[in-house]
Amino acid sequence: MHDITQARTAGLVDLLLNAPLDVQILADASYQGLGTDTNDAVITPRPKPRNCQTSLPPSVIAAHEAARKRHSSQRIRVEHAIGHLKNQRILCRYHGRRESFDTTIRAITGLLSDHQHTGRSENTTRRRRALTAAPYVR
């Protein structure tokens, strides 16, 4: 299912329309069009110029690219977090029960967050001893 269809099916539009606070979500280009459904609560990057619009002035094209760059630079942390979650093998092919999937996600994100906040300096301060080579025995 496409991202925007899933968001509409899950009730995200109703949730954002009835939100008591002024909530704004930075979304990627797959959610274009959801902003109009939610009274601009979902902010997506402006679409790329079409081939027929190649005759636009360079200043307009540069401003458009700058706006897309600002949007993507605000979303980069989210994209990195999603990428880290996808690196976990358990999320690639989850064969467990659906009822425990949210618990699994929380456990992985907690471990990942702990790993990122503790830093690698604690692990690299210990000296590592080289393993002695075992004699080759037939």
Side-chain angles (χ1 to χ4, degrees):
M1 183 181 300
H2 196 271
D3 293 344
I4 194 167
T5 306
Q6 176 62 32
R8 287 179 176 141
T9 304
L12 182 65
V13 174
D14 296 331
L15 183 68
L16 290 173
L17 285 174
N18 298 325
L21 302 174
D22 291 333
V23 176
Q24 289 188 331
I25 298 173
L26 291 175
D28 61 2
S30 62
Y31 292 98
Q32 285 179 349
L34 199 59
T36 56
D37 296 346
T38 60
N39 295 332
D40 295 326
V42 177
I43 301 170
T44 57
R46 295 179 58 195
K48 292 182 181 179
R50 296 187 177 136
N51 290 337
C52 62
Q53 295 176 334
T54 54
S55 62
L56 292 173
S59 61
V60 172
I61 293 174
H64 178 68
E65 289 300 318
R68 288 179 62 87
K69 176 83 173 172
R70 275 192 310 275
H71 184 81
S72 66
S73 65
Q74 291 173 343
R75 281 191 37 83
I76 193 67
R77 290 186 183 264
V78 173
E79 292 297 331
H80 283 171
I82 292 169
H84 283 301
L85 286 174
K86 287 181 178 179
N87 284 337
Q88 305 299 321
R89 298 293 297 168
I90 194 165
L91 297 180
C92 293
R93 287 191 170 177
Y94 183 74
H95 295 291
R97 294 188 175 270
R98 290 185 182 175
E99 296 85 26
S100 63
F101 187 66
D102 60 339
T103 307
T104 304
I105 291 281
R106 286 188 183 124
I108 290 173
T109 54
L111 290 171
L112 180 64
S113 176
D114 182 56
H115 174 72
Q116 288 177 345
H117 288 295
T118 55
R120 297 180 186 260
S121 61
E122 295 174 6
N123 296 335
T124 57
T125 55
R126 291 183 287 157
R127 292 187 146 247
R128 302 213 171 147
R129 293 183 291 168
L131 296 174
T132 58
Y136 178 72
V137 179
R138 281 191 134 167

